[in-house]
Amino acid sequence: MKGFINEFKEFAVRGNVVDLAVGVIIGGAFGKIVTSIVSDIIMPPIGLLLGGVNFGELIIPLKPDLHIHTLAEAKDIGAPVIAIGQFINTVLDFLIVAFCIFMLVKGINWLKRDAKEQPEPEKTTKECPYCLSEIPLAATRCSHCTSVLDAKPENA
């Protein structure tokens, strides 16, 4: 049992697990911010432009004879409706979060690419054409197979 607890402790405090937990918490908070932006800032002007429609209350009643017009009315009487406005809000939430994640990953990849594009260090060795061993650039004879090489080094 003690080995199991130690193994769990080692797993739980490993850097990746802690990073993942922080990411999930920040992601949840970010999701709430995006939901608020969509429902409180983006959708009201769009609804106003489309004739005063409140997208949060936009529904498609499945029983047209009940004459309900809002989601609150449908919930009060338990009427079946398709909450199309809430679906539109959720799709916009997803698109905004997906775009932000795309931009974040794109930025991280850009930073990684810049780190990789550093110039390679100057070569100080060459390959012997006979035994394929690494030898100094200025060598005129291979130290491994003693073959005579070109008198001029490759970088001259």
Side-chain angles (χ1 to χ4, degrees):
M1 185 68 173
K2 188 175 182 179
F4 178 78
I5 292 172
N6 286 337
E7 188 177 343
F8 177 75
K9 214 186 318 182
E10 182 181 323
F11 168 78
V13 296
R14 196 177 288 160
N16 293 343
V17 174
V18 174
D19 291 344
L20 180 62
V22 169
V24 167
I25 292 167
I26 289 175
F30 181 71
K32 290 179 183 179
I33 291 170
V34 170
T35 299
S36 176
I37 288 171
V38 169
S39 62
D40 299 332
I41 295 174
I42 295 175
M43 295 313 287
I46 292 174
L48 185 65
L49 289 173
L50 296 176
V53 176
N54 180 357
F55 275 90
E57 294 292 322
L58 189 61
I59 59 169
I60 299 172
L62 296 178
K63 288 186 176 180
D65 57 321
L66 292 178
H67 302 291
I68 47 177
H69 302 290
T70 66
L71 187 58
E73 289 176 0
K75 285 183 180 180
D76 286 344
I77 63 172
V81 295
I82 297 175
I84 191 74
Q86 288 186 344
F87 177 73
I88 292 170
N89 285 350
T90 303
V91 168
L92 283 174
D93 283 354
F94 169 76
L95 291 175
I96 291 171
V97 169
F99 179 75
C100 290
I101 291 172
F102 168 75
M103 294 305 289
L104 180 69
V105 169
K106 190 171 176 71
I108 290 170
N109 289 341
W110 180 75
L111 290 173
K112 285 182 181 178
R113 184 174 49 239
D114 281 353
K116 288 180 184 177
E117 290 179 0
Q118 295 175 353
E120 291 186 29
E122 191 174 315
K123 288 183 75 173
T124 59
T125 61
K126 64 182 177 182
E127 194 174 78
C128 171
Y130 302 103
C131 69
L132 304 178
S133 300
E134 289 290 317
I135 55 175
L137 277 176
T140 56
R141 185 177 288 267
C142 178
S143 61
H144 300 282
C145 69
T146 68
S147 298
V148 177
L149 307 172
D150 293 336
K152 292 182 181 179
E154 289 180 3
N155 68 344

